[in-house]
């Protein structure tokens, strides 16, 4: 069985209950720099803190003084990317990320870029209090209740998109931010499918995050 890790980033905080649920399903819990502040506020101790450590508060350092901390000073990658690279080196192939969405727009853009960089190396999913964001890859089949809201988010230009099982279908469609988007579509039948000939496409599903951990 492949091992699952959890990263808490420095975006909008998950609920305490969601963080606890994700923690129970992960072998390793890492805070990416300022994500440690959120963990301290929610009373959850990580196994490791990693990043350039420019966002972690002094009070958090005191709370987690017994936690292994790895400072990586280089500025050519985000703290989330540093954490993902570390987990890949440790042979984790399933990674859940909380706190990657919301907050500063530039941080969110960097986090979305991380999905594009690493989705071929690791199964990575962003989970927030409203739903799930995952890479489509070349094709994806997913089960979701009819009526579920879904959005397709292109990282750059995405061509040859074909969908099946959605209310508004794409047949050899092209999506590109600033040109054409596909937001707030609806699942018509399950499972639905998406395929992409060229480009990096993300799927956002408006679902209960607890359904990902078999919780209601």
């Amino acid at each position: 069985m492949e091992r699952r890790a959890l990263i808490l980033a420095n975006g909008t905080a998950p609920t305490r209950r969601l963080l606890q649920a994700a923690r129970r399903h992960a072998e390793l819990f890492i805070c990416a720099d300022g994500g440690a502040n959120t963990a301290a506020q929610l009373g959850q101790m990580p196994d490791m803190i990693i990043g350039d450590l420019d966002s972690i508060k002094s009070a958090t350092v005191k709370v987690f003084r017994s936690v292994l901390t790895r400072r990586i000073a280089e500025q050519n990658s985000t703290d989330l990317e540093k954490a993902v690279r570390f987990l890949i080196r440790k042979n984790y192939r399933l990674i859940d990320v909380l706190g990657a969405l919301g907050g500063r727009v530039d941080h969110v853009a960097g986090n979305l870029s991380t999905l594009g960089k690493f989705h071929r190396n690791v199964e990575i999913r962003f989970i927030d209090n409203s739903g799930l964001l995952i890479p489509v890859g070349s094709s994806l089949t997913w089960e979701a209740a009819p009526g579920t809201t879904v959005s397709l988010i292109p990282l750059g230009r995405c061509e040859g998109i074909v969908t099946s099982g959605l209310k508004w279908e794409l047949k050899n469609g092209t999506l590109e931010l600033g040109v054409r988007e596909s937001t707030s579509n609806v699942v018509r039948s399950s499972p639905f499918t998406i395929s992409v000939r060229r480009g990096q496409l993300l799927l956002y599903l408006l679902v209960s995050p607890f359904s990902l951990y078999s919780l209601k």
Side-chain angles (χ1 to χ4, degrees):
M1 180 180 293
E2 293 183 310
R3 298 182 298 166
R4 184 179 300 279
L6 170 66
I7 300 173
L8 179 58
N10 196 23
T12 297
T15 64
R16 178 180 284 105
R17 181 168 174 253
L18 177 55
L19 179 55
Q20 290 173 336
R23 179 67 186 93
R24 286 195 296 270
H25 286 77
E27 289 188 25
L28 186 68
F29 172 28
I30 293 179
C31 287
D33 201 349
N37 300 325
T38 301
Q41 292 168 3
L42 298 179
Q44 298 295 306
M45 181 173 289
D47 299 305
M48 175 183 288
I49 300 169
I50 192 169
D52 60 17
L53 307 184
D54 65 349
S55 299
I56 189 168
K57 298 177 181 178
S58 57
T60 301
V61 173
K62 292 179 181 178
V63 170
F64 293 148
R65 57 185 175 274
S66 63
V67 174
L68 177 63
T69 300
R70 175 169 296 193
R71 182 174 182 269
I72 303 175
E74 62 90 1
Q75 296 297 306
N76 294 322
S77 62
T78 65
D79 293 313
L80 177 58
E81 185 173 337
K82 291 177 175 68
V84 171
R85 287 185 186 278
F86 172 82
L87 289 171
I88 290 174
R89 289 196 300 269
K90 295 298 183 181
N91 295 316
Y92 284 89
R93 291 296 177 265
L94 304 173
I95 302 176
D96 288 348
V97 183
L98 304 183
L101 305 174
R104 285 175 49 174
V105 172
D106 56 342
H107 287 174
V108 173
N111 292 341
L112 294 180
S113 177
T114 298
L115 280 180
K117 290 177 182 177
F118 294 106
H119 77 273
R120 294 181 180 87
N121 307 101
V122 64
E123 182 180 319
I124 184 170
R125 55 186 188 176
F126 287 4
I127 301 167
D128 65 10
N129 296 322
S130 299
L132 170 70
L133 181 69
I134 55 175
V136 171
S138 59
S139 64
L140 179 70
T141 299
W142 198 269
E143 293 192 9
T148 299
T149 298
V150 301
S151 295
L152 301 180
I153 303 171
L155 296 178
R157 184 178 176 86
C158 295
E159 300 175 344
I161 302 171
V162 178
T163 65
S164 176
L166 302 181
K167 183 175 181 180
W168 296 285
E169 301 285 22
L170 288 170
K171 302 297 182 183
N172 197 33
T174 298
L175 298 177
E176 184 176 5
L177 290 178
V179 179
R180 185 190 183 193
E181 297 80 35
S182 178
T183 59
S184 298
N185 207 330
V186 179
V187 175
R188 176 175 49 82
S189 60
S190 184
F192 65 91
T193 62
I194 306 167
S195 63
V196 186
R197 186 178 70 249
R198 183 180 296 111
Q200 296 180 335
L201 188 65
L202 305 180
L203 169 67
Y204 184 73
L205 298 101
L206 199 65
V207 296
S208 167
F210 297 105
S211 65
L212 306 172
Y213 300 110
S214 301
L215 298 174
K216 296 182 178 180

